[in-house]
Amino acid sequence: MGKITFLGTGTSQGVPMIGCNCHVCKSEDPRDNRLRTSALVETEGFRILIDCGPDFRQQMLRENITDIDAVLLTHQHKDHTGGLDDIRAFNYFRKAAFPIYAETLVQESLKMEYSYAFAEYKYPGVPDYILHTIDENPFTITKTLPDGTVKTLEITPIRVFHYKLPILGFRFGKMAYITDGSSIPQEEFQKLQGLDLLIINTVRKEKHISHFSLQEALAIIEKAAAPRNCLTHMSHQIGRHKDLLETLPANVIPAYDGLQLEF
């Protein structure tokens, strides 16, 4: 059993979008206020953050999250990595480097974006990371408890494409989380079998070059056949939460910031 908390469910510009006066951006429904997409997964004694965007600090404070075990990065875009400087708060309290799991391409981007954190002579107080290389093969995260017990958690990455950029979704037991996808290779669908909960991105109802449209997301949901499904990474173009909810199949809901689901 586990739990996922949606820390942010919006696109790279968030909702409301700067300068926009549409009915979604001006909505008084708090479910229509969407920070950049991120999620906290709690399972088997681990607290794992998926993506660390520009709203990371605000999300941690809002949910009163004081520690996490690791960060998994789906890809290198700024709305998914822009909050990594604030990991230094965990460095301060842990007195140790912080583990980040990412593909080689993502790590190369981090070393450019956060060059000061990887410098030979570091300025005091900069974030300190331990980079772990992953790909589409299952991997294990470990941690040692105060009594010396070693716990392990196996995670299965799912290869997804964000237009032409290869990125990763992640499966934890019977829950899978996919964001920023526009296509999934046929051979990866086997990793979506036997799910209880599928979380998948959709940016808007109309077709988009690098994200699933609503109909494309619903088609994947139908193919995966999980009994429960949830949409995330939504722009203001998707419409208001309450209106969208009324149009979706009974086994699909739109996520909103702060929503918690068990799996």
Side-chain angles (χ1 to χ4, degrees):
M1 291 292 292
K3 179 176 71 174
I4 182 168
T5 301
F6 292 87
L7 302 175
T9 57
T11 51
S12 58
Q13 299 187 81
V15 184
M17 177 181 167
I18 294 173
C20 184
N21 292 309
C22 77
H23 71 292
V24 180
C25 289
K26 293 299 182 181
S27 171
E28 295 183 359
D29 186 341
R31 297 174 299 181
D32 291 325
N33 291 333
R34 302 183 181 278
L35 299 178
R36 269 65 71 92
T37 294
S38 176
L40 179 71
V41 177
E42 299 175 82
T43 184
E44 298 183 32
F46 286 80
R47 305 181 89 191
I48 307 297
L49 181 71
I50 304 178
D51 287 333
C52 185
D55 302 316
F56 168 70
R57 178 180 177 277
Q58 181 180 351
Q59 292 163 342
M60 294 295 100
L61 293 173
R62 185 193 70 204
E63 300 296 331
N64 194 29
I65 297 168
T66 57
D67 198 14
I68 50 180
D69 294 303
V71 171
L72 309 184
L73 296 177
T74 59
H75 63 297
Q76 64 267 43
H77 287 167
K78 200 72 168 183
D79 56 319
H80 295 262
T81 64
L84 285 171
D85 181 81
D86 283 316
I87 288 293
R88 56 198 169 99
F90 294 144
N91 295 147
Y92 175 80
F93 288 110
R94 286 182 172 204
K95 309 300 181 187
F98 191 86
I100 297 176
Y101 292 76
E103 294 192 86
T104 301
L105 185 64
V106 180
Q107 293 181 26
E108 292 172 356
S109 176
L110 296 182
K111 289 174 183 178
M112 291 189 291
E113 292 285 340
Y114 297 97
S115 58
Y116 55 90
F118 297 96
E120 182 178 359
Y121 301 103
K122 297 181 182 179
Y123 186 86
V126 300
D128 190 11
Y129 312 125
I130 300 175
L131 298 181
H132 298 268
T133 303
I134 59 174
D135 53 23
E136 61 267 31
N137 295 301
F139 63 96
T140 300
I141 292 178
T142 64
K143 73 173 182 178
T144 302
L145 302 181
D147 64 0
T149 303
V150 177
K151 293 182 68 69
T152 63
L153 176 67
E154 183 173 283
I155 300 169
T156 300
I158 303 161
R159 174 59 69 205
V160 179
F161 281 88
H162 184 21
Y163 185 43
K164 296 183 180 180
L165 178 69
I167 69 173
L168 293 175
F170 298 102
R171 176 168 179 163
F172 301 78
K174 291 192 173 184
M175 185 275 288
Y177 180 96
I178 296 171
T179 187
D180 283 55
S182 58
S183 66
I184 303 175
Q186 182 61 37
E187 60 271 19
E188 290 296 281
F189 270 93
Q190 63 179 333
K191 298 177 181 177
L192 301 180
Q193 299 305 302
L195 292 173
D196 176 61
L197 174 62
L198 172 61
I199 297 157
I200 192 165
N201 66 286
T202 182
V203 67
R204 65 189 188 192
K205 296 174 183 177
E206 296 78 14
K207 190 169 181 61
H208 191 280
I209 191 172
S210 60
H211 295 272
F212 293 122
S213 68
L214 179 57
Q215 289 306 312
E216 288 169 336
L218 291 176
I220 291 171
I221 285 171
E222 183 175 3
K223 185 174 182 179
R228 297 187 297 147
N229 303 273
C230 197
L231 304 173
T232 192
H233 203 281
M234 292 170 282
S235 77
H236 63 157
Q237 294 173 306
I238 201 74
R240 292 179 298 188
H241 177 94
K242 70 179 186 65
D243 298 330
L244 179 60
L245 184 60
E246 292 174 357
T247 68
L248 293 173
N251 66 337
V252 183
I253 63 170
Y256 55 86
D257 293 16
L259 173 66
Q260 296 183 336
L261 296 175
E262 294 186 349
F263 61 89

